[in-house]
Amino acid sequence: MTQHRSIHLFRKGLRLHDNPSLVGVLESSEFVYPVFILDRAFMEGAMRIGVLRWRFILQSLEDLHHRLQALGSRLYVVQGPCLGVLRRLVAQWGVTQLSLDTEVEPHYLQQDQEIQALAGELSLTLRTAVAHTLYDVRRIVRANGGQPPLTYKKFLKVLSGLGEPSQPARDITAEDFQKCRPPLEEKGRCGVPSLEDEGRYGVPSLEDEGRYGLPSLEELGLHTEHQVLWPGGETQALQRLHTHMESQGWVNNFSRPRTIPNSLLPSTTGLSPYLALGCLSARTFYHRLSKIHAQSKNHSLPPGSLQGQTLWREFFYTIASATPNFSLMEGNPICLQIDWDQRKDLLHKWTMGQTGFPWIDAIMTQLRQEGWIHHLARHAVACFLTRGDLWINWEEGLKVFEDELLDADYSINAGNWMWLSASAFYHQLPRIFCPVRFGRRTDPTGEYLRKYLPVLKDFPSKYIYEPWKAPEEVQLQAGCVIGKDYPLPVVDHKEASQKNLEMMTQVHNQQESTARLTRDVVDDPMKMRLERNDTVEDEDGTPPTKQRRPDREQRAAPGREADTDDDSRDTE
Ligand code: FAD
Ligand code: MG
């Protein structure tokens, strides 16, 4: 077998476990350079990255570097434009093979094409593997006749024909790197590039080892005082996975609709930042869950189970990979075209946690300070911004989430925003979350609100979710006058949500053929008849609409089971 001189290029997938392309490159090379190219223009052009996520990325790279060092290697971090840097490193190190993970988002597809062209030009062997998702999502699309399955139910049906996701790749050892150690001492191959090189490739030269080091947050011109609650990196990811997997009962009983959005510590796994950057392999997670389920007589099932959550991830990755403009409204064939209001002032208040609804404002504050909020908390603020109260385009909310979330993810973020704004996937229109009752149900005394909105901390529980209703003396006693120390509500929820429901119903009726794309067709005519008579109303006193009650999967928002999703029946 040819013994290559190789670069393994990390993009996402910042890990050593379940890293099939790295295994492959170690098995076929005389030496391997693990490289991360910090191409800031590319990274920030692809998606917004706020300071918390930059910090998380840098921590993850540092952890990767240390893990590689422990195996006798290191991470070579180089700043600059990806293609220019690669071209220079290939020349400098005499590289013959390049390996990297296959990614499916549009910005990576574009980069892949450029890398392929470069490999062709420089006669490099290109080695790729799918490592970020459970399956090769292109295979799922093929198995569904070339189109992505657009409902979770259909998606699960397609998966059932594909069998289980493949097992994680074998662990990488010090021996692997031992035999692939680059000849650092050899001049010429790894030495300093000439000025001529520098000019030719348009990137700074690597004068010394120090140049391969990781920049600090400050060196990137960024700064934050917010506490680190989610340290980046594979080491943390595996520790957190391990801790959760030790609670086998918790894993087996996990049903996301029953988890609590306003607990002071996450009630779900909190693994999303690690999965998003690939510090944790989704396959490793999935198969660990399978093992635990195999040992139990009874366990929860998708969509609410933990495996169900990993499948929601896969679902959105699959659709996003085959849908143009997935993160936009216009030009996105599955997304309803809605004439949203342009209200910069309201958008700003929502972003800054100044809507006057403590439940919404506390969530947005947690998001800005910590970079993570619970799934149902995401439901609350996303519904409020869009179809519930403010009638603002979901793309605006998506951008704020991209900026603030540690787990910001092109496919999952856009898929869920379309869901929550009822622009696709979700059709149970009258179920609008109430920004007062939703949070109160699981935290009646408002501990979560007191933590994130200290201005309200002395309000009596009775009023804390709607402080504008508190008598003046109560406000004075709490040291917080509403309208002065904390804002009045920006909308009348009842009025706004009624009006928005009418508009949204009209949109769905007018664009029925688009709406239908992401709605399950009821295949059983008998069931269909029954469901037609079962109009959507009551529960919360919302006026009946002509809509049919869709079947179970549709009634369930992402990750919820239809029979237990009472949080969403919260219209006032
Ligand atoms: P757990 O419940 O422990 O689930 C385990 C894993 O399953 C998660 O880490 C995640 O990778 C996956 N998962 C869970 N729920 C979903 C879902 N609904 N869709 C797809 N995958 C899911 N998640 C992101 O990872 N990145 C995002 O940018 C993102 N944006 C969102 C935007 C909105 C408006 C909403 C409503 C949800 C969004 N989610 C996003 C999905 C979900 O809220 C988070 O994945 C989850 O809350 C992360 O917490 P966890 O790891 O504790 O989840
Ligand atoms: Mg259930």
Side-chain angles (χ1 to χ4, degrees):
M1 186 160 53
T2 338
Q3 286 294 293
H4 283 289
R5 299 170 213 151
S6 306
I7 285 176
H8 176 75
L9 183 62
F10 286 97
R11 295 192 293 181
K12 294 192 205 171
L14 302 186
R15 62 169 188 263
L16 300 183
H17 74 281
D18 187 26
N19 193 331
S21 53
L22 183 56
V23 170
V25 87
L26 285 165
E27 286 173 354
S28 59
S29 304
E30 89 182 87
F31 59 77
V32 172
Y33 290 93
V35 170
F36 182 85
I37 300 175
L38 205 160
D39 181 346
R40 199 164 171 187
F42 169 78
M43 291 167 75
E44 289 180 340
M47 263 174 96
R48 284 147 193 271
I49 309 180
V51 62
L52 295 185
R53 194 143 60 92
W54 266 119
R55 183 171 70 182
F56 187 87
I57 293 170
L58 295 183
Q59 289 167 343
S60 300
L61 289 168
E62 192 179 357
D63 180 65
L64 183 61
H65 177 57
H66 290 145
R67 292 176 75 88
L68 283 163
Q69 276 186 323
L71 299 182
S73 178
R74 63 158 299 160
L75 183 65
Y76 296 80
V77 178
V78 188
Q79 295 192 56
C82 179
L83 267 275
V85 170
L86 265 183
R87 194 180 273 280
R88 190 193 65 209
L89 295 179
V90 164
Q92 182 181 329
W93 291 334
V95 165
T96 61
Q97 173 172 258
L98 180 62
S99 86
L100 69 164
D101 288 349
T102 303
E103 306 294 352
V104 292
E105 294 98 326
H107 43 277
Y108 282 119
L109 292 183
Q110 165 84 30
Q111 190 176 65
D112 283 351
Q113 274 178 11
E114 291 165 9
I115 290 176
Q116 259 165 34
L118 183 76
E121 182 196 326
L122 303 179
S123 306
L124 299 177
T125 300
L126 200 56
R127 174 183 285 275
T128 60
V130 171
H132 195 64
T133 43
L134 297 173
Y135 298 83
D136 181 344
V137 296
R138 295 165 301 190
R139 205 178 136 222
I140 302 175
V141 173
R142 278 200 303 276
N144 190 49
Q147 298 292 326
L150 293 176
T151 69
Y152 191 72
K153 188 178 178 182
K154 183 134 192 240
F155 175 75
L156 292 186
K157 201 180 273 174
V158 176
L159 288 196
S160 67
L162 296 181
E164 286 291 286
S166 53
Q167 288 292 333
R170 74 163 174 84
D171 283 341
I172 289 167
T173 64
E175 288 71 62
D176 289 315
F177 279 107
Q178 183 89 47
K179 60 179 192 51
C180 293
R181 188 164 298 158
L184 272 178
E185 61 291 344
E186 253 180 72
K187 279 219 169 96
R189 250 192 208 161
C190 311
V192 183
S194 63
L195 277 177
E196 197 189 323
D197 280 347
E198 194 176 330
R200 189 149 25 123
Y201 305 127
V203 287
S205 63
L206 307 165
E207 279 167 18
D208 54 43
E209 271 295 284
R211 290 292 182 104
Y212 298 112
L214 195 60
S216 65
L217 203 55
E218 283 66 33
E219 283 164 344
L220 294 184
L222 300 167
H223 176 76
T224 175
E225 310 236 295
H226 291 310
Q227 232 186 319
V228 180
L229 295 175
W230 312 83
E234 179 182 18
T235 305
Q236 275 286 329
L238 292 176
Q239 266 166 21
R240 287 171 183 233
L241 178 70
H242 181 72
T243 307
H244 286 302
M245 297 303 108
E246 287 206 308
S247 318
Q248 302 203 355
W250 183 78
V251 168
N252 283 324
N253 290 322
F254 186 94
S255 168
R256 215 207 2 230
R258 292 204 298 264
T259 59
I260 291 176
N262 38 16
S263 53
L264 297 183
L265 291 173
S267 60
T268 49
T269 64
L271 290 172
S272 52
Y274 304 99
L275 287 163
L277 197 56
C279 301
L280 177 64
S281 150
R283 285 188 296 233
T284 299
F285 183 30
Y286 182 94
H287 285 290
R288 290 286 294 275
L289 294 168
S290 290
K291 240 189 209 156
I292 292 175
H293 289 339
Q295 289 161 8
S296 112
K297 286 201 194 93
N298 228 330
H299 59 82
S300 54
L301 292 170
S305 65
L306 273 176
Q307 274 185 333
Q309 305 316 310
T310 68
L311 295 171
W312 280 112
R313 178 178 184 270
E314 199 78 3
F315 174 69
F316 289 123
Y317 262 86
T318 306
I319 302 175
S321 76
T323 305
N325 303 308
F326 190 72
S327 64
L328 302 172
M329 178 176 79
E330 279 179 37
N332 178 345
I334 65 165
C335 181
L336 294 170
Q337 303 299 302
I338 297 174
D339 189 14
W340 300 104
D341 285 346
Q342 304 281 336
R343 289 291 305 269
K344 286 220 161 71
D345 54 333
L346 290 180
L347 174 63
H348 182 73
K349 287 183 173 159
W350 175 84
T351 308
M352 301 314 291
Q354 293 286 324
T355 67
F357 289 97
W359 169 233
I360 301 299
D361 296 342
I363 295 170
M364 294 306 289
T365 305
Q366 185 189 10
L367 173 64
R368 272 201 331 281
Q369 291 179 355
E370 301 178 1
W372 185 91
I373 48 178
H374 186 278
H375 183 59
L376 295 177
R378 299 179 200 212
H379 275 222
V381 296
C383 181
F384 185 88
L385 180 73
T386 59
R387 72 185 179 92
D389 295 82
L390 302 186
W391 199 257
I392 288 175
N393 193 334
W394 59 271
E395 293 173 24
E396 299 299 332
L398 173 141
K399 287 184 217 161
V400 171
F401 271 28
E402 256 185 32
D403 255 334
E404 308 289 355
L405 277 174
L406 291 174
D407 62 34
D409 181 291
Y410 171 83
S411 311
I412 307 178
N413 200 17
N416 278 283
W417 271 101
M418 278 188 266
W419 188 299
L420 265 298
S421 62
S423 296
F425 306 111
Y426 192 69
H427 307 277
Q428 202 61 21
L429 306 184
R431 294 189 172 183
I432 293 172
F433 295 102
C434 169
V436 171
R437 281 161 45 203
F438 187 177
R440 194 155 60 190
R441 182 168 304 164
T442 43
D443 179 23
T445 56
E447 296 316 307
Y448 175 82
L449 307 185
R450 294 176 208 278
K451 174 173 176 187
Y452 291 104
L453 302 175
V455 65
L456 297 177
K457 74 176 178 356
D458 294 325
F459 256 81
S461 301
K462 181 174 177 199
Y463 293 112
I464 194 160
Y465 282 91
E466 35 193 353
W468 63 91
K469 288 193 178 167
E472 204 187 325
E473 63 272 20
V474 173
Q475 299 188 20
L476 285 172
Q477 204 166 10
C480 174
V481 173
I482 303 306
K484 181 171 148 268
D485 304 312
Y486 179 74
L488 282 158
V490 289
V491 284
D492 176 324
H493 169 66
K494 193 165 182 166
E495 258 171 39
S497 60
Q498 285 293 345
K499 179 169 163 245
N500 293 346
L501 172 60
E502 281 160 31
M503 293 196 288
M504 190 55 87
T505 307
Q506 205 175 8
V507 169
H508 274 242
N509 290 339
Q510 283 168 350
Q511 298 177 44
E512 162 67 18
S513 58
T514 306
R516 204 184 313 129
L517 292 174
T518 53
R519 191 163 71 203
D520 271 317
V521 275
V522 181
D523 17 51
D524 175 358
M526 195 52 203
K527 197 168 148 207
M528 189 151 68
R529 197 160 340 116
L530 278 175
E531 282 180 355
R532 199 175 289 139
N533 295 329
D534 185 11
T535 48
V536 185
E537 40 148 349
D538 49 87
E539 286 149 349
D540 13 71
T542 315
T545 69
K546 287 203 191 77
Q547 273 202 306
R548 252 185 287 127
R549 188 192 287 278
D551 60 9
R552 297 167 67 86
E553 273 71 15
Q554 291 163 295
R555 291 176 57 199
R560 342 167 42 96
E561 288 161 330
D563 55 346
T564 56
D565 68 349
D566 6 358
D567 293 305
S568 60
R569 303 179 189 196
D570 234 348
T571 313
E572 261 189 355

